[in-house]
Structures are given as structure tokens and as C-alpha cells.
Amino acid sequence: MDAPDVLDLWDLRVRHQPDAPALVTPDRVLTHRSVDRLTDAWAASLAGRGAGPGRLVGLAFADPGRTVLGMLAALKAGAGFTVLDDRLPAAARDSLVRRTEAAVWLGDGAHAPAAAYVPAVGAGGVADDGTAGGAATGEGAGAADAGGHPVRPPARAAGHDVAYVLFTSGSTGQPKGTLIERDSLRRFAAAVAERLELAAGDRWLQVASLGFDVLIEEVFPALVAGAAVVCRADTRALDAEELHTTMARTGTTVVELSTQYWLEYARWLDARGLTTPAGLRLVVVGGERMDPRPYREWQARQPARLAHVYGLTECTVSSTFYTGLLPADAAEVPLGTPLRDVEISVRRDGRPVPQGESGEIHIGGPLLARGFLDDHAATARRFVPDPLSAVPGARVYTTGDLGRIDADGNLVFLGRLDDQVKIRGHRLEPARVERALCEDPSVEQAVVFPDPATGTVLWAFTVPADPERAPLPGEAVRLTAAERDALVAPLEEQLPDWAVPRVLYRVSVLPKNPHGKIDKRRLSDWATATATATVVNAAAATGTGTAATGTGAGPTVPGAPGPGGEPLSTVLGLFREVLGAPELGPDDDFFEHGGQSLLAMRLLARLREFLPSAAGLRASALLRCPTPRLLAGTLATAGPREAGPRQAGPQEAGLPR
């Protein structure tokens, strides 16, 4: 007997709840029956154009709803799918199109390849409102049943056939295409639905970028559980307020957010004294290390539960979930326990370490990818034979992540192996020290690294929890001896002397580089500028030198008032603060200086705090007016609007890209 396919789980839901919602868009609600008939028609069209087992269907739609339909239709045709991210530059898109060699492309976005099309569905297929009709029209439409409904192509794919190929970010080289098989997708979808207790009444809001593997987690566990996928109108970024109103309006019960995006949303809720929408029962958070304090604060204030997730594209999205209440004395937020069919081990030099000791996280089991698309060398390096498994041919994925298993059996993330530094002959994971610093209530964020000059002492840069204590944007204020001693005293009780930072700075924000990593070079430059200014000012005070000049040596100079009395200086100052760029000028572009969706959310929130006219400002305004001068001009022509949450219209239901 053949092993079940992910489509068998879908078909079961269609039979049992044909009239229940399966796909919710700003324009319509499609039932399981409607989605099934529509994707049968699409699948017939795809099969007529060469899609089938072992081949890929490319998806390049401008809206998420059609992307979800395209993924299901490709699987019905027996093929796998790949999704083209509309944020990629044209050259990168062209490269991915060539590498995937898709049999056919569906899409209508501006980023779609020239050959992409949208399957035609006539009066007999599924009408625009999602109601049933007759047979599909167009090339390769295929057969219809006695009722005139399109019949799914007969091709039956095997469990080892490709389900999808998605690409990593490629921040350290060419993006790697990860090939996931159908059996892995089926097991993953069922396991997540089981772990998160998804049911027919749930609605999972689709948030992730369409080229990101979290899209898989937002769609397939919901579909196999009989829940509905809620799609935004397009892929544009929304801020925390718009996310909040969208979830309330659509009755969302489950949403998955990146760690930083979740922190922005949590800050927004706290600042306004709000709680999560009444229907929201679960927020899945992952992607970066989580500090315990905001996690505990959320659990104390918000009705929606948290699930902390860990996973990699190469292991079918997510491998572990932590869904419990974080104990008051927990030093870290665990990554949780593995899903069914996932094997987690912590090893050093190829051997498992005793419980509680640190080592490299290894992931095994049937959810592993087949490997990297057309990259046998990289596949062999990361997917290695597992000598500890009794299963013939078993493999294990070496993650490069450092972790340990705690006394409750939870996996705990400790940082990246390649983030280790050496201080006076000792190896150290900076994340360990950063977590300890963030346990102090006065510290919101921290980063630790060796001083760039000698590498013999640790520097720490902290962002204060109280914004009133933050220095000017672009400045690094060195802590006094008394402040430093108070902050490091707890560290000295738990860390060896060489692991305790001896030079500590306070900054308003931890700046990011174009890859989203903390820009340690810029922090070093701020510290150097502070030291230089201190020396020069001291010399000037004693008459032994001259005052410093040059960008970044001192406080930022306020700009001139903007049109209509709206102060350009305020907008410019907030641009500089959020981007961590004290040198930014009134005509510098936000996005050309490292701005991205999360920073845009923060900028909008800060603007609303200072300027009444920014109460109704949306992310799209920043796209149209990306410089301080242009944005100040827009604000000057906008009358004050009522602050606080409002209902997002249908065309505002997009979420962060």
C-alpha cells in the first residue's frame, strides 16, 4: 500500500467539511469545496503544459491568496513548486528562474517571468465569488466529471518526489535552493497541526514573505487540519497597528512573527495599554534568540499564548516548539521539544554530549531535505551519514548552532558556533554574556564583542530599557565606573573574570548592516568618536588643543523647520535614531541607508509619538517619501488625525515583507 500523500490529508478535510472556510482574502471567503474545485482546474491546466512528478511549477503572483492556490494546484498536478520573492533585484530573480528550470510559471506580478500565466477558468469552473460552476477552460483544461466540474489530473506523485524548492537568503554567497520531498511536507504539516492543536475553527494569518519558508508553516498545517488560511491583499509591509487591526477584523486565531517583529508589536501594545485581539489564541515566535524578560512580560499581560519555535529551511521549516509558561527563574527561553518525526541531538566531535552540556545541534529524521538544488558538494558537507542511527542510510543535518538539552528535555539555543570569540586563550559565546546583561531590568538589548584594537578585553554596548536614559542617536556614552560596577556585579558571580566586559557603552539603538546583523564596526566607530571627542574637549579646556570638527564628533545639529511649521528637525532626528546614522542628511533615502520593514515600523511608531499629523501615517507613505524632507512635507499637508487603532480597509491588509 502506498504511503499517504499530503493531498490525502487535504482530501479528507474536503470530504468532511466541504462548506467550511479554507481561504480568506480581503475580497472573498473560499470554502474547502471551492478551493478544491478551483485548484483541480488549475492543476489540469498545469498538467497540460508539462507539469508533473519531478518537475517544478514557478509561482510569481502579486497577492498571497493566488500563491496559496498555486502551491496546492502544483501538488495536485504531481509537481513541486517554487515561489519567486518580489523583493529580489531583477538579476537575482532571473538567476533563480534559470536555476529552478520550472516546467511552467504561474503569476501576474511585475516580477513574474515573461512566460508566466494565470489559468483561465470559465463558467464551469469556480466563479469570482468562489461558487462552483462547470469545467475549466483554456489550454490543457482537462476532463470534467458528470457534474461538469474539472477532474484532477491522474498523475500520482511518490513520497520521494519534490514538493517544493525554496531558497536561503544567500547572505554569504549564492542562495541555496533547498529541495523538500512530498513525504517530508506531509509529515511536517500533520506534526505542526498536532503540536499547535489546530482545528477547523482556526484562522492562521499569512504574514511571511512569499519567498520565505515560514510560508509553508502558515499554509499546510492549517489546510490539513481543516483550518483557514487568511491572506493579505498584497505583500507590502504594515506596521504593528495595522497588524493588530487586521487580526481583529479577520478573526485571526494564530499568527507567526519573527522575533524582532513580535518585539515591535509587543512594544506597541504596551505603549497603548492594549491586549491582543479577543480571537487571537496563539502567537508563534522564532528566528532569533529570545530574551526571557519580554517573553515573561507578554505571558503576564497578554491573553494570546506564545509558542517559541526553532527550525531551518533544510529540515522542513520548524523542528522544535516550546509552548509552556516560562518559569520565573528561567535564564533562557527554550526552543522546546522536537516535533513527531524529528530527531534532535547535541554532539561534540560527532558524539552526543551529556544532558546539560553544550555542543552542536544536529537534526535527523524523515523531515530532512533531499539536499541543495544542483549543489552536491554543499549537500555532502551539511547532510552527513549518521553513525549513531540504527536506520540504514540515515542522515543528520549539522546546523552550526550551539545548544544544550535542559533538565526538562527542552532544547536551548546558545548561539552560533561561528560566533565564538577567543579572549585571553579562552573560547566564549558572546550570546551567553549578552543574555546575562539583559537580565538587568535597566537593559533592553546588549551586544558583546572583543575590542577591535587588541582583542584582549570585552566591550559591551547596551540599549537602556528607559528611553529617557538613551544618549543621542549615533553616540556611544561610556558608563561611569559606578554604573559599570553595578551592571557587571551579577556577571562576576556567574562568569569567569575574562568573560566579564570591562568597557561598557550606552547607545540608543544597536545599528544593523544590510544583512540585518548588528553592525559592530559602526558601534566601534561611535566609541572611537566618543573617545576622540573626550580627548579633544579635555585638551580645549586646558588650552592644549583645538576643538574637534567633522561628522559624528558631537551632537546632531537640528534642521530647519519644514513646510507649514512641521519641524524637519524632528523627522530628521528620528530617521537618524532609528537607522543609527547620525550623519544622515535631510535628503538621504531611508532604504539606501539600511532601512527595512521592521525599522520602518519603528520609525512610524516614533513619528506618531512626536507629531500629531503622523497618527494616520502608513508604511506606503515612506515608500513614496523616503527622505526626511519629503516625509516632513507630507506631514505638513496632513491634518491631525485621531491617534490609536483603527480598522484597516481591504486594501490595507498586507503584512511585513
Side-chain angles (χ1 to χ4, degrees), residues 358-498:
S358 64
E360 184 178 9
I361 299 171
H362 288 60
I363 302 177
L367 267 62
L368 292 191
R370 183 189 299 173
F372 298 117
L373 183 68
D374 297 329
D375 195 338
H376 301 296
T379 299
R381 283 195 305 270
R382 303 305 296 269
F383 297 88
V384 300
D386 187 2
L388 304 180
S389 176
V391 178
R395 300 175 304 151
V396 67
Y397 183 75
T398 57
T399 66
D401 290 332
L402 189 72
R404 63 180 178 86
I405 305 294
D406 69 15
D408 296 320
N410 289 303
L411 180 66
V412 176
F413 178 74
L414 300 176
R416 287 286 300 172
L417 287 173
D418 52 14
D419 283 340
Q420 290 184 342
V421 297
K422 207 168 190 179
I423 297 290
R424 289 183 263 165
H426 301 278
R427 298 203 66 82
L428 172 72
E429 290 81 35
R432 181 184 179 191
V433 185
E434 292 161 3
R435 285 194 298 274
L437 285 169
C438 289
E439 282 300 304
D440 190 300
S442 68
V443 176
E444 176 72 22
Q445 294 176 286
V447 65
V448 171
F449 53 91
D451 77 277
T454 67
T456 60
V457 66
L458 285 179
W459 282 8
F461 291 80
T462 63
V463 177
D466 181 3
E468 296 294 328
R469 300 187 67 241
L472 292 172
E475 286 191 348
V477 175
R478 188 161 179 170
L479 271 61
T480 65
E483 292 172 330
R484 181 200 63 210
D485 292 346
L487 193 55
V488 303
L491 277 65
E492 292 175 325
E493 296 178 0
Q494 54 182 303
L495 298 173
D497 178 75
W498 50 266

Side-chain angles (χ1 to χ4, degrees), residues 109-180:
H111 63 299
Y117 82 108
V118 179
V121 180
V126 177
D128 288 341
D129 62 358
T131 57
T137 64
E139 180 183 344
D145 62 17
H149 303 129
V151 175
R152 187 181 305 176
R156 172 76 178 186
H160 58 75
D161 282 324
V162 60
Y164 66 85
V165 172
L166 291 179
F167 289 81
T168 60
S169 64
S171 60
T172 57
Q174 180 174 254
K176 289 183 172 61
T178 302
L179 194 155
I180 302 295

Side-chain angles (χ1 to χ4, degrees), residues 116 188 239 248 309 313 439 510 617 624:
F188 166 75
D239 61 27
V309 62
T313 305
E439 282 300 304
L510 297 180
L617 197 65
R624 296 191 305 270

Side-chain angles (χ1 to χ4, degrees), residues 244-276:
H244 184 77
T245 55
T246 298
M247 291 191 296
R249 178 174 51 80
T250 59
T252 292
T253 63
V254 182
V255 68
E256 183 162 354
L257 307 174
S258 69
T259 303
Q260 290 300 319
Y261 186 27
W262 171 75
L263 286 170
E264 293 292 337
Y265 180 47
R267 291 189 188 102
W268 183 85
L269 289 173
D270 288 346
R272 285 152 185 79
L274 296 174
T275 59
T276 51

Side-chain angles (χ1 to χ4, degrees), residues 59-62 83-94 96 110-112 167-170 207-214 232 234-237 258 514-515 591 595-598 623 655-657:
L59 303 173
F61 285 107
V83 183
L84 193 60
D85 192 337
D86 62 353
R87 302 170 306 169
L88 293 174
R93 292 200 304 266
D94 293 344
L96 296 192
H111 63 299
F167 289 81
T168 60
S169 64
V207 173
S209 301
L210 297 186
F212 188 34
D213 69 339
V214 172
R232 58 206 197 275
D234 51 40
T235 60
R236 72 183 182 87
S258 69
H515 300 303
F591 299 100
Q596 31 87 346
S597 60
L598 288 175
L623 294 172
L655 289 170
R657 302 177 80 174

